[in-house]
Amino acid sequence: MLTLKTKIEKLPLIGPAYVKKLHKMGIETAGDLLFYFPFRYDDFSDVKKISEVELGEVVSVRGKIIDIQNIRTWKRKMNITEALIEDESGAIKAVWFNQPFLVRNLKNGAHVSLSGKIVYLREGLQLSNPSYEFLGSGQSLHTARLVPIYHETEGLSSKWLRAHIKPIIKLADEIEEFLPAKIIKNQNLFGLSKAIRQIHFPDNEQKAEIAKKRLAFDELFLVQLYMMLQKKKWQKNNAVKIKFNKKLEKEIKNFVDNLPFKLTNAQKISSWNIIKDFEKDRPMNRLLEGDVGSGKTLVALISSLAVIKSGYQVAFMAPTEILTRQHFAEAEKRFSLDCIKNGAHSSECNKFQTKQSKPSYRLKPEFQLSNNLRDIKIALLTGSESKIYESEEIKEISKKKLLEKIKSGEVNFIIGTHSLIQEKIIFKNLAFSIIDEQHRFGIDQRAKIQTEVLEIKDGLKTVPHLLSMTATPIPRTLALTVYGDLDLSVLDEMPKERRKIITKLVAPANRASAYKFIYDQIRKGRQVFVICPLIEESDILEVKSVTEEYEKLSKKIYPSLKISLLHGKMKPKEKEEVMKKFSSGETNILVSTSVVEVGIDIPNASVMLIEGSDRFGLAQLHQFRGRVGRGKYQSFCFLFTDSTASRTHQRLRALIKSDNGFELAEQDLKIRGPGELVGIRQSGLPDLAMASLTDFELIKKVRYEADKIIMENDDLKKYPKLANKLKKFTKKVHFE
Ligand code: ADP
Ligand code: MG
């Protein structure tokens, strides 16, 4: 018997090749197939008599084929299939291009239904490339109705999907409702079975819309529930409580006062958010969002200071060796005062120790603070390096020694790559973990550093407070859904004295003068990034294009300059090597695909040239632009485009006007939809949820209902069907 659980290979007329394709799409059972939704419809519901069709309209007609033949046009090497269709009112010609096999299927005398657009050709009105099906086989499926169009991944056509979903659509009635009845009632939703039937084969547009709303509600609701439950679960952990007492306040004030610049307001607020979170005995889980150059690292350092000065360790993880080196250098620079053993600062610090108020838990004796623990000792640990900074010196040290120092607690600020979770590090008392460019880490990797357990007192275990940082500007409204399990701080403000980057749209005719300009910049000692167009369809084409650009620049345009190449197909080591050379000033120009590191700080780079800029989203272009203008030099961003469309130019001009990543992301959202936003695309959200991220009304309702459910009971025991659905859902959706 056919049920929702029936494997697709057992369904009628699905051969092994198709089974394989469906499996690739994660579709294993009849039920899964029903949950593969169309994303739009062709409206073929307008059924007319042949004599009544009009030019330009999309219609359906029904009639008999009275003539059909293939014609080959020799000049254009095209095959045209022409059929004459007749009903009681008249006849019309239907024309298909390059589908000669149709004549094997559509024969003289067959009764068919055809849907398509009416065009005018020499001989009069014609149906152009219509969809067709035979009459008499029950309800229409491909014509004369709202016809569902599916994403045609893995080469499965919409027609194929329709034809195979139709025979099992009756199974929709067996789908179990998992939403509590009161939500369905409150929100005026279709029942699930009805929604599934209507999303595939809607009676009319309105019902299709309501069905879609129900299913989008489901996806968003499950995402939201998942996030909220994660948050609850996380907050059941204990964490080290770090009291923000007078002494600590003084330490931090001292540090901030000694900076060569003023903190932005946003930096102050975010640091304060974090320090306040530390005062709780529940672990923080906060996302710090901020444009490139908004100064996230400094917020991380300030909050680390609070933790270190209270006697605990901090781990700071970044995705590449270069970034960790950069952070190490910045930490060393900013903390150096503190690291000088005999400075005034240090004696201040000793006084602070003796009188220090006790941490909120009594520590086991081995965790009691010894004097030197209060000093900051910074370490760097990556796959290829292990170093520490002490007594005003950076010293190479063996990995083994470093691990010992981490274990003993002598080193208390540990910066590193994935090594921090790969090496078997034993921390003495890790209380705070920071993840930079968090989207570059997998969910497992993040979980690992999150669950580093510290036992502070007879069986009382804590996990570290967690700060994730990202430069992808996701508008707050979206962040609430996508990162609903995190608290959010936003650096929506740039340091004051930062110079505006001069951004220009460059037409193909001005290419030569741009090249000349770049040459002059390099002669002045500056460096230049060249970003090649995004080619989403194919990595190989992208590599080819960037390699060609590299060849062109290094052989033809700038034979005397040092140019290097960077793309995603290179090994991590090679990439690091290229970046290192550029970073040290050894190379003049870096030609790269969009893989170029987001967080990298190369103050000497003053020009960002972007080829095919129209292919990128505004937020991403803005991120590229943020690679320059980090030093004292006036910097430039050149947007090259061959496109002459005024819409494209208008879109790109937004970059000239705005230098705020969040604003630009909002515009992307309006123009290109949420799926195009970096950081959202990788979020693993299912399609409908993704498409509905800008439906703020719906999101509000979803949050309201999810909140209510969680308030009632946060283990979902009262709603076993919902709990079960959520479990399946999260298994299928890989949240990142
Ligand atoms: P991002 O947010 O992209 O990680 P960084 O933390 O790398 O930015 O900061 C970029 C640069 O700006 C660093 O050199 C940092 O020292 C500097 N910086 C940070 N905060 C300020 C500020 N308030 N005023 C001036 N410069 C700042
Ligand atoms: Mg950064």
Side-chain angles (χ1 to χ4, degrees), residues 261-262 267 292-297 330 334 495 498 630:
F261 44 71
K262 268 203 162 109
Q267 281 175 318
V292 276
S294 58
K296 295 183 288 292
T297 316
E330 173 135 6
R334 304 283 172 232
R498 197 132 309 155
R630 306 197 124 209

Side-chain angles (χ1 to χ4, degrees), residues 254-313:
N254 210 4
F255 175 76
V256 170
D257 288 346
N258 274 319
L259 289 171
F261 44 71
K262 268 203 162 109
L263 290 185
T264 65
N265 252 335
Q267 281 175 318
K268 282 186 205 160
I269 293 168
S270 302
S271 307
W272 184 241
N273 289 154
I274 296 168
I275 285 170
K276 276 314 211 187
D277 281 352
F278 287 160
E279 290 207 286
K280 300 172 193 150
D281 53 7
R282 300 291 158 207
M284 169 177 83
N285 194 6
R286 186 170 282 280
L287 179 68
L288 179 62
E289 257 198 290
D291 239 343
V292 276
S294 58
K296 295 183 288 292
T297 316
L298 200 64
V299 173
L301 293 186
I302 292 171
S303 36
S304 299
L305 190 65
V307 175
I308 296 167
K309 288 290 173 184
S310 305
Y312 298 96
Q313 288 173 308

